[in-house]
Amino acid sequence: MILNADLHVHSCFSMASSKDMVIDNIAPQAKLKGLQLMGTGDALHLGWLEIIENSTKYIGDGIYSTEDCDFVLTTEIEGEKKIHHLILIPTIEIARELGEKLVSVNKYKDGRPRTKMNGKEIMDLAKEHDCLVGPAHAFTPWTGIYKAFDSVHDCYGQKPDFFELGLSADSNMADTVKELQDIPFLSNSDAHSPWPHRLGREFNQIELEDISFSSLKSSIKQNKIKANYGLVANLGKYHMTACTKCYKLIDPELAIENKLKCSCGGTIKKGVDFRISQAATWDKPHHPDFRPPYIHLMPLAEIISMVYDKGVTTKTVQRKWKELIDNIGNEIEILINTPIEKIARVNSDLVPAIEAFRDKSLHISPGGGGKYGEISFDKELREKEVEKSKNLTLDNF
């Protein structure tokens, strides 16, 4: 069987997460998105484990099921140097054992526990309990592995089970780095709210023998990921080098020359695109034979928001989104496969935008510094934004 899986989200117990991130909201929204398997996130938090037990039915081999979708236990841990690690866990019993052994001051306060353990120690602990482990959003400038290391081996001492790309990167970018050639890539949403423009904005299409932790583990290790789906990389909020205060895009070399301080007084963060260029072995991607296609997505609600010039969470956008879902089906099908004439019968206003998304003619003002990129039909706006960052000098910085 082939199913869609988003394996990295957070619960209501994580800092900066919505109080609505509970199973009873996540599961039905996952179904509307077109996802069949979800990571629980935050599986070392005792309060969250209790909610999982009360809101799902355990059907064996690591799967906690609801009427709308199935769940597998996952957690993100912040380790030494503030690097984030993603762990896939076989059962609640093992999650509790991991929690007991994790050296952390906040493991029962925050859904994402912090520890002084390094990557090798975290990997050893995970492997001891038959878990899968790898770097979370690996290129992100605040908490990604490449923030602090030039190699995944320097962090873990060995190859991780997988490598999560993060919202600001895709396979074409990551496959310029030679050391990643034999590591499976995961693309997950890292969602902090259950709403359609967050949940499943990145996901994996995986071939499984059956719905079980054992099958999921085997499929990841045997490279049975059939496709990675994710944001167009420059929509990611750390894609370009930019100021974290005024969000001005800045040439990376100029930023370094200016000691990563912006003229507005803010801190400049290196973009994912620049960090990958520093780590890259080749100018162009070298995809290994097993690497699946990377299929770019944009949240449907974001496209509706652009067309109607209304905020994503406004009643107008949410109503238009629900009309499409109710009349056509899940979001992934609408974005990628539904015939345009069928979409037109529900909402003809959206046809030009869906067509532009599919033929890649929508234009993006790139994200950076913590601000997501923005989509529009305005090609000149995008080109001016990029050129402005290239043309900065110390004199006009």
Side-chain angles (χ1 to χ4, degrees):
M1 69 176 66
I2 295 177
L3 51 73
N4 298 327
D6 181 358
L7 301 172
H8 181 181
V9 302
H10 288 278
S11 76
C12 57
F13 292 99
S14 271
M15 186 181 299
S17 281
S18 167
K19 67 182 185 306
D20 295 313
M21 277 301 268
V22 294
I23 298 294
D24 289 346
N25 288 329
I26 297 170
Q29 291 297 321
K31 183 179 181 179
L32 294 175
K33 193 79 176 189
L35 304 167
Q36 293 85 41
L37 182 63
M38 292 294 303
T40 61
D42 301 354
L44 301 188
H45 192 284
L46 296 180
W48 183 230
L49 289 178
E50 185 176 341
I51 289 176
I52 293 169
E53 287 181 310
N54 292 334
S55 303
T56 66
K57 179 181 179 181
Y58 185 59
I59 61 174
D61 200 349
I63 299 298
Y64 298 81
S65 187
T66 72
E67 181 180 344
D68 294 311
C69 75
D70 296 311
F71 288 84
V72 63
L73 298 173
T74 62
T75 191
E76 184 181 27
I77 293 174
E78 182 178 293
E80 182 189 47
K81 300 178 188 263
K82 296 187 177 180
I83 303 303
H84 287 193
H85 309 269
L86 178 63
I87 301 177
L88 280 57
I89 306 170
T91 65
I92 281 180
E93 291 71 29
I94 289 176
R96 289 196 170 103
E97 284 184 38
L98 274 176
E100 289 175 2
K101 293 182 179 179
L102 184 72
V103 181
S104 170
V105 296
N106 76 327
K107 60 187 174 183
Y108 300 134
K109 295 178 181 178
D110 192 340
R112 183 201 297 115
R114 296 190 307 273
T115 177
K116 293 182 179 180
M117 297 170 69
N118 62 36
K120 185 178 185 305
E121 291 169 328
I122 291 171
M123 176 170 277
D124 288 346
L125 179 61
K127 295 292 187 182
E128 179 187 333
H129 291 82
D130 200 31
C131 301
L132 292 175
V133 61
H137 38 73
F139 297 110
T140 305
W142 292 104
T143 56
I145 192 172
Y146 279 100
K147 175 200 83 167
F149 296 95
D150 291 323
S151 167
V152 292
H153 296 274
D154 291 343
C155 178
Y156 293 116
Q158 58 181 299
K159 183 179 78 171
D161 294 311
F162 57 80
F163 183 93
E164 187 183 68
L165 295 167
L167 305 183
S168 297
D170 59 21
S171 296
N172 283 333
M173 298 171 70
D175 269 335
T176 62
V177 182
K178 186 176 181 179
E179 73 163 346
L180 304 180
Q181 288 284 287
D182 59 347
I183 304 175
F185 291 163
L186 293 184
S187 45
N188 301 308
S189 71
D190 194 7
H192 288 62
S193 73
W195 313 128
H197 62 298
R198 295 289 185 247
L199 201 70
R201 58 189 166 180
E202 300 208 344
F203 65 92
N204 313 276
Q205 196 171 75
I206 305 180
E207 180 181 350
L208 299 178
E209 289 186 7
D210 53 46
I211 299 179
S212 65
F213 181 86
S214 299
S215 181
L216 176 64
K217 182 177 181 180
S218 174
S219 291
I220 291 173
K221 283 183 166 291
Q222 295 179 28
N223 300 310
K224 290 185 178 180
I225 298 170
K226 309 306 289 185
N228 294 110
Y229 287 77
L231 295 181
V232 179
N234 53 2
L235 274 173
K237 61 183 180 178
Y238 295 109
H239 182 74
M240 300 284 282
T241 299
C243 175
T244 59
K245 183 178 180 182
C246 70
Y247 304 118
K248 178 168 58 183
L249 303 183
I250 299 165
D251 179 88
E253 299 295 346
L254 176 62
I256 292 170
E257 191 174 346
N258 210 52
K259 299 181 180 178
L260 299 178
K261 293 299 294 183
C262 181
S263 56
C264 77
T267 299
I268 300 168
K269 275 295 176 182
K270 292 181 185 178
V272 166
D273 66 328
F274 178 63
R275 185 65 188 97
I276 291 177
S277 74
Q278 290 180 307
T281 312
W282 308 289
D283 292 332
K284 296 182 178 180
H286 285 51
H287 298 302
D289 291 341
F290 71 84
R291 187 75 72 218
Y294 192 102
I295 300 169
H296 289 111
L297 291 176
M298 293 179 187
L300 180 59
E302 298 275 5
I303 294 174
I304 298 170
S305 172
M306 177 194 73
V307 170
Y308 289 96
D309 195 24
K310 301 281 187 181
V312 173
T313 58
T314 60
K315 290 182 180 179
T316 297
V317 171
Q318 292 302 312
R319 185 176 69 252
K320 300 291 184 184
W321 179 86
K322 192 170 187 306
E323 285 173 359
L324 287 167
I325 299 298
D326 289 346
N327 285 280
I328 299 176
N330 70 65
E331 177 170 326
I332 295 163
E333 283 297 309
I334 293 169
L335 281 169
I336 297 172
N337 298 320
T338 302
I340 285 295
E341 57 270 21
K342 189 172 182 179
I343 295 172
R345 287 197 291 269
V346 179
N347 189 327
S348 59
D349 293 344
L350 295 176
V351 168
I354 298 290
E355 288 181 320
F357 160 71
R358 290 182 180 180
D359 66 22
K360 298 180 174 59
S361 62
L362 274 179
H363 302 293
I364 300 171
S365 297
K371 181 183 178 183
Y372 288 104
E374 297 176 353
I375 58 175
S376 72
F377 290 113
D378 190 345
K379 182 178 181 181
E380 290 185 3
L381 181 65
R382 178 195 178 196
E383 291 177 345
K384 286 178 182 177
E385 193 80 20
V386 175
E387 284 304 310
K388 185 179 178 182
S389 72
K390 290 180 179 177
N391 294 329
L392 280 172
T393 67
L394 283 175
D395 292 331
N396 62 19
F397 178 57

